[in-house]
Amino acid sequence: MDILKAFFSLSCEGNCCLPALMTALTRRTVLSLYMRVFRIARNWQAVSGVTSDTEAERKYILQDARTLFRQNQQLTDQESIKRCIEECEARIEIGLHYRNPYPRATYLPPMGLATQKGRKLRMQQRLRKQAKPIYLQSQDET
């Protein structure tokens, strides 16, 4: 409701208010996801039931969330923000489903798509990028 009030209180005409509304909605969505991750970490229980495992997994969840949200804090492009939101939602759902906070591995062998020469190397890098699942987009290449 407060977003609608903010939208109508702006003194502009036409579609110039649309970016402001999208920014408010995006901010609200991102903050909601951030708080959801912190709630999940607070209530997280390791599958093994060992207290040290639970604490280590909680610490990983919090550290990973802080790192990724801060890394993407300066994004302004709506498409890249949308991809980051989708990645966050996917990682939350996968983590809750499998009860494992760590990202799932991809089963694509490194440098296994083509030989390492000129054009083929570029093609291989493009194919590896396309083959990377959405929940691993922010993870660095190993």
Side-chain angles (χ1 to χ4, degrees):
M1 192 66 174
D2 53 81
I3 292 176
L4 291 176
K5 287 180 184 176
F7 178 73
F8 287 116
S9 67
L10 294 173
S11 60
C12 59
E13 300 173 4
N15 291 331
C16 65
C17 293
L18 191 59
L21 179 62
M22 288 301 292
T23 305
L25 289 173
T26 304
R27 178 178 170 80
R28 186 178 203 181
T29 304
V30 170
L31 290 175
S32 171
L33 280 173
Y34 194 66
M35 292 308 296
R36 183 175 177 203
V37 169
F38 275 79
R39 271 188 249 110
I40 289 169
R42 189 175 347 137
N43 299 324
W44 188 264
Q45 293 294 320
V47 175
S48 65
V50 179
T51 306
S52 62
D53 290 346
T54 300
E55 290 303 316
E57 289 179 4
R58 285 179 180 175
K59 186 176 179 181
Y60 172 78
I61 293 169
L62 293 174
Q63 184 63 34
D64 196 42
R66 284 185 184 121
T67 301
L68 291 175
F69 276 86
R70 286 183 182 150
Q71 174 184 339
N72 297 323
Q73 184 177 13
Q74 303 301 323
L75 292 178
T76 55
D77 179 34
Q78 288 294 327
E79 280 301 313
S80 60
I81 293 171
K82 182 181 175 189
R83 274 183 295 195
C84 289
I85 290 172
E86 289 172 356
E87 178 186 355
C88 183
E89 290 170 344
R91 287 187 66 180
I92 288 171
E93 294 305 318
I94 288 172
L96 290 175
H97 178 76
Y98 291 105
R99 299 300 303 156
N100 184 359
Y102 307 109
R104 294 177 56 84
T106 57
Y107 299 107
L108 185 64
M111 306 307 211
L113 294 175
T115 60
Q116 296 183 359
K117 293 180 182 168
R119 284 182 103 183
K120 294 197 180 221
L121 179 60
R122 287 192 300 264
M123 176 65 124
Q124 177 185 10
Q125 290 170 343
R126 187 174 63 228
L127 288 173
R128 290 191 78 216
K129 185 176 180 182
Q130 290 172 350
K132 197 173 204 180
I134 189 169
Y135 56 86
L136 289 177
Q137 294 296 321
S138 62
Q139 297 297 322
D140 294 329
E141 289 289 325
T142 56

